[in-house]
Amino acid sequence: MTDQTAQDDTGLIVTLLERLRKQRLPRVLDLKAKVDAGGTLDSFDFDFLHEVFADANRLKPLWERHPEFDGIAGQLIRIYREITERALANETGANETGATPT
């Protein structure tokens, strides 16, 4: 990795971590609370998750150059998986009982 690439990576990582802290993590925690309470995901929630997954895919080369962030990435992946699995279970349960999803 060149010095310029390292500097560019550092700036980008700082920006991404700040976005995670201020925007994405609070939203993720809200989604987790929503599905843990039995709720389902709406179109805005799906759009958010789609954006997160697209960004993760696009930024994969950056994270591969910086394995020191594997722990953070792993925790986020676990939370996203829990949200999607729980939302699916909630949706399935709502459909089986005839309840209207929230």
Side-chain angles (χ1 to χ4, degrees):
M1 179 174 3
T2 67
D3 287 342
Q4 185 61 46
T5 301
Q7 288 176 346
D8 291 346
D9 282 1
T10 299
L12 184 54
I13 289 169
V14 167
T15 300
L16 292 170
L17 289 174
E18 190 68 9
R19 179 175 69 180
L20 174 65
R21 184 178 71 85
K22 289 184 176 180
Q23 297 172 5
R24 291 214 167 149
L25 190 56
R27 179 81 189 273
V28 166
L29 295 176
D30 287 346
L31 288 179
K32 180 138 177 32
K34 180 179 182 178
V35 298
D36 284 348
T40 58
L41 301 179
D42 60 33
S43 62
F44 294 110
D45 300 332
F46 283 116
D47 289 345
F48 170 74
L49 291 173
H50 178 74
E51 177 185 329
V52 167
F53 295 138
D55 282 352
N57 199 30
R58 183 177 51 82
L59 293 166
K60 189 175 180 184
L62 173 70
W63 301 124
E64 287 174 346
R65 288 192 303 271
H66 296 278
E68 64 270 25
F69 293 101
D70 284 352
I72 293 171
Q75 290 289 338
L76 289 169
I77 290 167
R78 182 184 56 77
I79 292 171
Y80 291 130
R81 185 180 67 234
E82 288 175 6
I83 289 169
T84 55
E85 288 175 352
R86 184 62 184 243
L88 179 60
N90 292 348
E91 186 75 31
T92 301
N95 288 336
E96 288 175 358
T97 64
T100 303
T102 57

